[in-house]
Amino acid sequence: MSSFWSNEFWRITGIVFVAWLVGLLLGFPLWGIIAGFVAYLILLSNRYQKFATWMRGSLTEPDDFDGIFDDLAFRMFRIRSRSSKRKKRLSDLLRRWQETSSALPDAAVVLDKDGSIVRFNPAASSILGLKSSDQGQYIGNFIRNPRFIHYLLAGDYAEHLEIASPLDITRVLNIRMTPYGKDQRLMLVGDVTHIQRLMTMRRDFIGNVSHELRTPLTVIMGYLETMKDCEDCDRAALKEYIDRIEAPAQRMKSLVEDLLLLSRLDTGAPAGLSDSSVINIASLLKNILTEAEQLSHGAHTITLEADSDIRLRGIEKEIYSGFNNLVTNAIRYTPEGGEIKIEWLAYGDSARFCVRDNGPGIAHQHLPRLTERFYRVDVGRSRSSGGTGLGLAIVKQVLRRHDAELHIESNPGQGSEFCCFFPQARLVHDENDATVKAG
Ligand code: ADP
């Protein structure tokens, strides 16, 4: 017999015995026993009331209920506190899932063994268009792609899956699935459109570089073959072949140089203000003008207007390269007799470098793509004038590294204007205000 029952037994026996003794003294022993039982029942009912009130209340340490209810209350308290701890653990787990999954940029969806949605994070609403009322629905109703359904049913989640977004077919989603909890699966969905575009760009870029190198290389190989087979060639004939090799070799050299420069610009740290020097743009432009005049051979009228008061914080070699590309383009694309204006002047609080020409101009549809690598309006014309198709891409990168922007305005038959806008933070003003005019 447990101590609980033995205690209660002694309690009832004690009460009935005392009542019997009193009844015996008074000459009514039987009534004494009955009165003892009644007294025990009243006591029991009082204790039950107290116990019932405690049970109805919130989870607190049980009072001293004395006897049978004491033990009962203690056991109930243990059961209730264990279940309340379990509930708390569950709600903590749920809260932690909500916190963690809300911070995820990817959609996270928990699916049960049949593929129905158990819960999902906020990103799942924007990436997959899920609403809270969709809980319990089959995920295949939202991602109707047959490849996804096959992936879901096959249950082999070693690989991940890439499919078009169900909300926008131009976007690419990457889906990974992993076992989760008891008979559940966690589905992570990320938007990888950007990475896909980069991969395509990289593929195109490698294809373009190979193509650009192959053409001059084929010409060089052709002349080398001819020279090898030409046993009775005199010096003059050999020299002619060598001269013909020079142009494609030069083209390959320019291409490799531009590629190396672009790769340095792509991977180098931005031209932060602390690692920049103060560039005297007016004197840098005088050098560019001299080179431009040599390239033009007097075929163009080239003028320069530069405010020598405005200097620029930046990397001189890069700025030289970017500005020189714009001036060289103007000369290469403007026919003989054309005019080219180079300008470095204040523009409100900022400053701008502009190159204007009255050449053939560019049709509107080409303007947004001009700074893409290897994009040309007229491939033949670009190549015949020594272009690599990378000039404006270099300009764009140089400007990006100097917090500047390129604006292009052009109309067919009305010339072109390429302007680079530099923010105030990049400018340094010299006391000796002066404007350099040349040309
Ligand atoms: P490219 O080496 O072919 O000149 P760029 O990147 O420098 O490459 O220029 C891209 C294209 O932009 C050129 O092929 C040309 O069609 C066009 N372009 C650039 N500058 C001018 C200009 N000043 N006038 C007309 N077209 C231009």
Side-chain angles (χ1 to χ4, degrees):
M1 199 157 59
S2 75
S3 68
F4 149 65
W5 289 115
S6 70
N7 283 348
E8 210 50 35
F9 173 78
W10 287 119
R11 186 184 301 267
I12 189 168
T13 311
I15 292 171
V16 173
F17 178 72
V18 170
W20 171 75
L21 217 60
V22 173
L24 194 70
L25 287 174
L26 296 174
F28 304 105
L30 193 63
W31 281 109
I33 291 172
I34 293 169
F37 273 115
V38 171
Y40 177 74
L41 282 176
I42 291 170
L43 206 72
L44 202 64
S45 143
N46 270 343
R47 279 190 281 152
Y48 172 73
Q49 290 298 335
K50 224 168 126 187
F51 172 74
T53 314
W54 172 78
M55 276 288 285
R56 276 194 296 271
S58 55
L59 184 67
T60 52
E61 283 266 5
D63 293 343
D64 187 5
F65 294 117
D66 200 16
I68 184 172
F69 291 111
D70 209 13
D71 199 68
L72 215 55
F74 179 68
R75 280 162 198 247
M76 286 303 295
F77 178 69
R78 263 209 335 232
I79 294 169
R80 284 176 72 188
S81 57
R82 232 180 270 145
S83 98
S84 118
K85 267 187 202 148
R86 202 173 307 129
K87 261 195 229 154
K88 192 171 171 311
R89 247 202 324 268
L90 267 174
S91 79
D92 278 356
L93 219 65
L94 209 64
R95 190 172 40 78
R96 238 177 293 149
W97 147 266
Q98 271 161 353
E99 278 170 10
T100 319
S101 67
S102 300
L104 279 178
D106 288 354
V109 185
V110 178
L111 302 172
D112 68 11
K113 63 176 188 316
D114 303 320
S116 300
I117 301 167
V118 178
R119 58 179 166 273
F120 55 86
N121 69 344
S125 306
S126 51
I127 295 178
L128 297 171
L130 297 183
K131 301 186 292 294
S132 49
S133 57
D134 297 332
Q135 271 177 12
Q137 294 237 37
Y138 179 53
I139 188 69
N141 293 341
F142 302 93
I143 308 175
R144 291 177 180 271
N145 189 306
R147 282 175 55 230
F148 172 72
I149 305 289
H150 179 260
Y151 178 71
L152 185 72
L153 296 178
D156 176 14
Y157 305 134
E159 296 289 312
H160 41 117
L161 178 73
E162 266 173 24
I163 55 164
S165 159
L167 302 182
D168 175 359
I169 54 158
T170 63
R171 306 205 71 81
V172 183
L173 299 184
N174 177 283
I175 300 182
R176 280 153 293 158
M177 199 88 79
T178 172
Y180 180 79
K182 199 166 170 272
D183 284 341
Q184 291 184 334
R185 284 165 283 179
L186 175 66
M187 183 175 86
L188 292 170
V189 187
D191 188 328
V192 291
T193 316
H194 181 60
I195 299 169
Q196 281 289 327
R197 276 190 198 141
L198 283 178
M199 304 257 283
T200 312
M201 270 167 67
R202 199 180 67 170
R203 260 197 313 272
D204 290 353
F205 183 68
I206 293 171
N208 278 326
V209 171
S210 317
H211 179 74
E212 292 291 332
L213 284 172
R214 197 169 47 212
T215 320
L217 201 60
T218 312
V219 177
I220 294 172
M221 294 296 288
Y223 281 116
L224 286 177
E225 283 292 312
T226 318
M227 284 160 78
K228 209 166 80 185
D229 297 344
C230 179
E231 280 158 10
D232 49 354
C233 272
D234 57 14
R235 268 187 83 80
L238 282 177
K239 184 167 181 321
E240 197 193 323
Y241 289 139
I242 291 171
D243 285 348
R244 289 195 188 171
I245 284 175
E246 212 176 313
Q250 181 57 47
R251 209 167 115 199
M252 285 172 71
K253 183 173 173 266
S254 308
L255 186 68
V256 171
E257 277 170 2
D258 277 1
L259 283 171
L260 285 174
L261 175 59
L262 251 184
S263 129
R264 271 200 302 276
L265 292 172
D266 280 346
T267 51
L273 287 176
S274 51
D275 18 87
S276 300
S277 57
V278 176
I279 312 167
N280 183 341
I281 297 290
S283 81
L284 178 136
L285 287 178
K286 273 200 249 168
N287 292 338
I288 289 183
L289 178 70
T290 311
E291 276 189 38
E293 279 164 345
Q294 279 168 12
L295 183 70
S296 159
H297 294 297
H300 306 92
T301 310
I302 311 171
T303 55
L304 165 68
E305 186 179 3
D307 188 340
S308 57
D309 166 46
I310 313 168
R311 298 187 180 201
L312 180 75
R313 277 186 207 279
I315 297 176
E316 186 155 355
K317 250 168 86 175
E318 291 184 12
I319 292 292
Y320 188 94
S321 186
F323 287 5
N324 196 37
N325 262 314
L326 292 178
V327 174
T328 312
N329 273 356
I331 294 167
R332 283 171 42 229
Y333 293 105
T334 306
E336 262 188 58
E339 278 179 27
I340 293 158
K341 288 184 182 153
I342 307 169
E343 202 181 273
W344 168 250
L345 295 172
Y347 186 77
D349 287 339
S350 53
R352 68 177 184 179
F353 166 75
C354 291
V355 181
R356 296 189 188 88
D357 64 57
N358 59 356
I362 306 160
H364 267 229
Q365 72 268 23
H366 298 294
L367 297 183
R369 298 196 59 191
L370 281 190
T371 55
E372 282 177 26
R373 288 157 201 212
F374 297 112
Y375 187 85
R376 287 128 155 168
V377 177
D378 179 343
V379 179
R381 203 194 151 105
S382 157
R383 287 204 184 128
S384 64
S385 61
T388 59
L390 296 173
L392 291 180
I394 290 173
V395 173
K396 186 182 166 188
Q397 282 298 72
V398 168
L399 296 185
R400 183 187 62 82
R401 288 164 55 77
H402 287 81
D403 315 311
E405 275 177 30
L406 176 67
H407 287 230
I408 309 171
E409 271 187 36
S410 187
N411 281 308
Q414 292 176 22
S416 311
E417 178 186 275
F418 291 79
C419 282
C420 313
F421 289 83
F422 289 87
Q424 194 187 12
R426 283 267 168 196
L427 307 177
V428 178
H429 290 271
D430 198 16
E431 271 98 62
N432 312 313
D433 188 4
T435 304
V436 172
K437 285 195 184 207

